[in-house]
Amino acid sequence: MSSHSHDPHILCPHCDLLVTLPTLKYGQKANCPRCKSTLTMRWQEPRRRPVGYALSALFMLILANMFSFVNMNVKGLTSEITLIQIPKVLVADNYASMASLFMVVVQLIPAFCMLAIIMLCLPVRLPGRWNIRIAWILFHLKAWCMVEIFLAGVLVSFVKLIAYGEVGIGTSFIPYVLFCLLQVRAFQCTDRLWLWQQVSPAPAIHQPLKVGQSGLSQGLRSCECCMAILPVKQQVCSRCGSKGHARKKHSLQWTMALLVTSVMLYIPANLLPIMITQALGTKFTSTIMAGVVLLWGEGSYPIAMVIFIASIMVPSLKMLAIAWLCWDAKSSKKVDRERLHVVYEMVEFVGRWSMIDVFVIAVLSALVRMGQLMSIYPDIGALLFALVVILTMFAANTFDPRLIWDRSGTFENKEKFDDGQ
Ligand SMILES: [Zn+2]
Ligand SMILES: [Zn+2]
């Protein structure tokens, strides 16, 4: 029978269509002919490239933690912070939860992911099933790398502070920007399909495959973690050990439960203050909306727009979109699936960016500590808001996008392939 050294078939993780992967040229990517999501991309030097980027990223991260990150000067008083001081200040203010969140998504997870990419791409075999475990963790943690969002938060804080004093960047700032770019690039050129094939070959399938039909109609499912094609009856993947079903179990119930919880938290997150500003003896609190109004009033229109879109529009639209997806997956009406899929992709992509305001508060409260002159502290609203973002991210994660396509039957145009650049 066939040796399956390279499995040319794949079940689209977004719409469950069985597709034959064409032989790709370097730099070419294969898109799903039905839902248009990218299935895989072929890179030149799939080993050396990610390792190079990941190694340089780690080196930059070390540099970024060694020196001062940003500084501020108000009327002769200077305040300077390093990256590591940001969580320390938050812990001192009894916001240990926000400090840990910050440490985890801005430093620990990205650093771990870079290490994981290096270990997996180098042709070394770790003892036991360590390679598989590391790959499993890598692909589960990827969405929680928020380096670029933090960096955007730092820039927004700069604009907010310009009105009060001089802000400047420290020696560590440029290395952190480079770390951000390099880690994005390292993720980009790590091909999931190729990497899993290196870690362990895909399990063989002992039944004929019907290209252009859904996996479900043939009794097949795609492993959510390693993308191997498995019989529906087999609940534990023989390659990566992930447990799974043909469709995420109780997907709609979970999504709805998380959604309702996040809506309930979203109301107080908007009404309660997110930070306390103490300046020259006066103390005032501000909510998310008040922050936007203040920025707008000061004439920083683009930043006011960014914060308004990221903190108010995106979370509300995201909740509406998730509710719409759940409602549609249940109804039997015929809808434009492609448009619905675009909604899903957008929800997945933009959701993390709402975290920007939380990072702004973290930076502001760490940097602006000048006693009576001016001090900024986080407040309960910020914590609630962070929770809302995390919950909606989980809600989007528990939603199974394949439910959108399940009622559409076979796909006619099975031979056509989209070749992107
Ligand atoms: Zn698809
Ligand atoms: Zn698997």
Side-chain angles (χ1 to χ4, degrees), residues 12-17 32-37 39 405:
C12 172
H14 287 103
C15 73
D16 201 32
L17 189 77
C32 171
R34 181 159 73 168
C35 72
K36 309 285 184 280
S37 53
L39 297 170
W405 302 90

PDB file of all heavy atoms in Angstrom, residues 12-17 32-37 39 405, ligand 1:
ATOM      1  N   CYS A  12      -9.645  20.771   5.372  1.00  0.00           N
ATOM      2  CA  CYS A  12      -9.556  22.189   5.732  1.00  0.00           C
ATOM      3  C   CYS A  12     -10.052  22.371   7.168  1.00  0.00           C
ATOM      4  O   CYS A  12     -11.169  21.982   7.492  1.00  0.00           O
ATOM      5  CB  CYS A  12     -10.396  23.034   4.780  1.00  0.00           C
ATOM      6  SG  CYS A  12     -10.502  24.746   5.305  1.00  0.00           S
ATOM      7  N   PRO A  13      -9.213  22.943   8.036  1.00  0.00           N
ATOM      8  CA  PRO A  13      -9.631  23.068   9.444  1.00  0.00           C
ATOM      9  C   PRO A  13     -10.795  24.051   9.620  1.00  0.00           C
ATOM     10  O   PRO A  13     -11.463  24.036  10.644  1.00  0.00           O
ATOM     11  CB  PRO A  13      -8.373  23.584  10.149  1.00  0.00           C
ATOM     12  CG  PRO A  13      -7.503  24.130   9.080  1.00  0.00           C
ATOM     13  CD  PRO A  13      -7.858  23.436   7.807  1.00  0.00           C
ATOM     14  N   HIS A  14     -11.050  24.889   8.612  1.00  0.00           N
ATOM     15  CA  HIS A  14     -12.121  25.866   8.750  1.00  0.00           C
ATOM     16  C   HIS A  14     -13.450  25.408   8.180  1.00  0.00           C
ATOM     17  O   HIS A  14     -14.495  25.786   8.663  1.00  0.00           O
ATOM     18  CB  HIS A  14     -11.718  27.189   8.091  1.00  0.00           C
ATOM     19  CG  HIS A  14     -10.696  27.930   8.879  1.00  0.00           C
ATOM     20  ND1 HIS A  14      -9.374  27.957   8.526  1.00  0.00           N
ATOM     21  CD2 HIS A  14     -10.794  28.638  10.022  1.00  0.00           C
ATOM     22  CE1 HIS A  14      -8.703  28.659   9.426  1.00  0.00           C
ATOM     23  NE2 HIS A  14      -9.537  29.078  10.336  1.00  0.00           N
ATOM     24  N   CYS A  15     -13.403  24.608   7.091  1.00  0.00           N
ATOM     25  CA  CYS A  15     -14.688  24.222   6.497  1.00  0.00           C
ATOM     26  C   CYS A  15     -14.821  22.722   6.282  1.00  0.00           C
ATOM     27  O   CYS A  15     -15.830  22.273   5.758  1.00  0.00           O
ATOM     28  CB  CYS A  15     -14.925  24.989   5.198  1.00  0.00           C
ATOM     29  SG  CYS A  15     -13.902  24.445   3.832  1.00  0.00           S
ATOM     30  N   ASP A  16     -13.808  21.942   6.670  1.00  0.00           N
ATOM     31  CA  ASP A  16     -13.898  20.484   6.637  1.00  0.00           C
ATOM     32  C   ASP A  16     -13.903  19.883   5.227  1.00  0.00           C
ATOM     33  O   ASP A  16     -14.303  18.741   5.039  1.00  0.00           O
ATOM     34  CB  ASP A  16     -15.151  20.023   7.411  1.00  0.00           C
ATOM     35  CG  ASP A  16     -15.033  18.572   7.860  1.00  0.00           C
ATOM     36  OD1 ASP A  16     -13.896  18.141   8.127  1.00  0.00           O
ATOM     37  OD2 ASP A  16     -16.058  17.878   7.928  1.00  0.00           O
ATOM     38  N   LEU A  17     -13.480  20.652   4.218  1.00  0.00           N
ATOM     39  CA  LEU A  17     -13.431  20.127   2.855  1.00  0.00           C
ATOM     40  C   LEU A  17     -12.162  19.301   2.679  1.00  0.00           C
ATOM     41  O   LEU A  17     -11.094  19.710   3.115  1.00  0.00           O
ATOM     42  CB  LEU A  17     -13.426  21.295   1.864  1.00  0.00           C
ATOM     43  CG  LEU A  17     -13.602  20.940   0.393  1.00  0.00           C
ATOM     44  CD1 LEU A  17     -15.068  20.633   0.114  1.00  0.00           C
ATOM     45  CD2 LEU A  17     -13.135  22.086  -0.490  1.00  0.00           C
ATOM     46  N   CYS A  32      -7.694  27.114   0.648  1.00  0.00           N
ATOM     47  CA  CYS A  32      -8.835  26.226   0.509  1.00  0.00           C
ATOM     48  C   CYS A  32      -9.732  26.763  -0.607  1.00  0.00           C
ATOM     49  O   CYS A  32     -10.069  27.936  -0.626  1.00  0.00           O
ATOM     50  CB  CYS A  32      -9.599  26.171   1.820  1.00  0.00           C
ATOM     51  SG  CYS A  32     -11.169  25.320   1.673  1.00  0.00           S
ATOM     52  N   PRO A  33     -10.119  25.919  -1.585  1.00  0.00           N
ATOM     53  CA  PRO A  33     -10.935  26.427  -2.692  1.00  0.00           C
ATOM     54  C   PRO A  33     -12.337  26.852  -2.244  1.00  0.00           C
ATOM     55  O   PRO A  33     -12.985  27.621  -2.926  1.00  0.00           O
ATOM     56  CB  PRO A  33     -11.001  25.240  -3.659  1.00  0.00           C
ATOM     57  CG  PRO A  33     -10.635  24.054  -2.850  1.00  0.00           C
ATOM     58  CD  PRO A  33      -9.766  24.511  -1.737  1.00  0.00           C
ATOM     59  N   ARG A  34     -12.799  26.344  -1.117  1.00  0.00           N
ATOM     60  CA  ARG A  34     -14.154  26.700  -0.688  1.00  0.00           C
ATOM     61  C   ARG A  34     -14.178  27.915   0.229  1.00  0.00           C
ATOM     62  O   ARG A  34     -14.839  28.887  -0.046  1.00  0.00           O
ATOM     63  CB  ARG A  34     -14.826  25.516   0.001  1.00  0.00           C
ATOM     64  CG  ARG A  34     -16.245  25.834   0.428  1.00  0.00           C
ATOM     65  CD  ARG A  34     -17.078  24.607   0.637  1.00  0.00           C
ATOM     66  NE  ARG A  34     -16.715  23.893   1.852  1.00  0.00           N
ATOM     67  CZ  ARG A  34     -17.446  22.922   2.371  1.00  0.00           C
ATOM     68  NH1 ARG A  34     -18.566  22.558   1.788  1.00  0.00           N
ATOM     69  NH2 ARG A  34     -17.055  22.301   3.459  1.00  0.00           N
ATOM     70  N   CYS A  35     -13.403  27.873   1.353  1.00  0.00           N
ATOM     71  CA  CYS A  35     -13.508  28.982   2.313  1.00  0.00           C
ATOM     72  C   CYS A  35     -12.351  29.966   2.174  1.00  0.00           C
ATOM     73  O   CYS A  35     -12.322  30.981   2.851  1.00  0.00           O
ATOM     74  CB  CYS A  35     -13.595  28.458   3.739  1.00  0.00           C
ATOM     75  SG  CYS A  35     -12.066  27.784   4.363  1.00  0.00           S
ATOM     76  N   LYS A  36     -11.407  29.671   1.288  1.00  0.00           N
ATOM     77  CA  LYS A  36     -10.302  30.580   0.956  1.00  0.00           C
ATOM     78  C   LYS A  36      -9.270  30.769   2.073  1.00  0.00           C
ATOM     79  O   LYS A  36      -8.371  31.583   1.953  1.00  0.00           O
ATOM     80  CB  LYS A  36     -10.806  31.973   0.525  1.00  0.00           C
ATOM     81  CG  LYS A  36     -11.863  31.974  -0.553  1.00  0.00           C
ATOM     82  CD  LYS A  36     -11.280  31.673  -1.912  1.00  0.00           C
ATOM     83  CE  LYS A  36     -12.314  31.755  -3.025  1.00  0.00           C
ATOM     84  NZ  LYS A  36     -13.174  30.570  -3.152  1.00  0.00           N
ATOM     85  N   SER A  37      -9.371  30.025   3.159  1.00  0.00           N
ATOM     86  CA  SER A  37      -8.358  30.196   4.205  1.00  0.00           C
ATOM     87  C   SER A  37      -7.067  29.489   3.784  1.00  0.00           C
ATOM     88  O   SER A  37      -7.088  28.523   3.023  1.00  0.00           O
ATOM     89  CB  SER A  37      -8.860  29.673   5.548  1.00  0.00           C
ATOM     90  OG  SER A  37      -9.304  28.362   5.412  1.00  0.00           O
ATOM     91  N   LEU A  39      -4.108  27.082   3.747  1.00  0.00           N
ATOM     92  CA  LEU A  39      -3.907  25.744   4.290  1.00  0.00           C
ATOM     93  C   LEU A  39      -2.442  25.520   4.650  1.00  0.00           C
ATOM     94  O   LEU A  39      -2.119  24.998   5.698  1.00  0.00           O
ATOM     95  CB  LEU A  39      -4.357  24.693   3.274  1.00  0.00           C
ATOM     96  CG  LEU A  39      -5.838  24.717   2.919  1.00  0.00           C
ATOM     97  CD1 LEU A  39      -6.119  23.808   1.741  1.00  0.00           C
ATOM     98  CD2 LEU A  39      -6.675  24.310   4.117  1.00  0.00           C
ATOM     99  N   TRP A 405     -20.364  25.592   7.564  1.00  0.00           N
ATOM    100  CA  TRP A 405     -20.354  24.952   6.247  1.00  0.00           C
ATOM    101  C   TRP A 405     -21.081  23.616   6.204  1.00  0.00           C
ATOM    102  O   TRP A 405     -21.273  23.063   5.135  1.00  0.00           O
ATOM    103  CB  TRP A 405     -18.899  24.731   5.800  1.00  0.00           C
ATOM    104  CG  TRP A 405     -18.118  25.984   5.741  1.00  0.00           C
ATOM    105  CD1 TRP A 405     -17.389  26.529   6.763  1.00  0.00           C
ATOM    106  CD2 TRP A 405     -17.989  26.871   4.645  1.00  0.00           C
ATOM    107  NE1 TRP A 405     -16.814  27.690   6.355  1.00  0.00           N
ATOM    108  CE2 TRP A 405     -17.156  27.927   5.049  1.00  0.00           C
ATOM    109  CE3 TRP A 405     -18.493  26.884   3.333  1.00  0.00           C
ATOM    110  CZ2 TRP A 405     -16.825  28.981   4.215  1.00  0.00           C
ATOM    111  CZ3 TRP A 405     -18.150  27.923   2.503  1.00  0.00           C
ATOM    112  CH2 TRP A 405     -17.334  28.963   2.941  1.00  0.00           C
TER     113      TRP A 405
HETATM  114 ZN    ZN B   1     -11.898  25.517   3.784  1.00  0.00          ZN
END
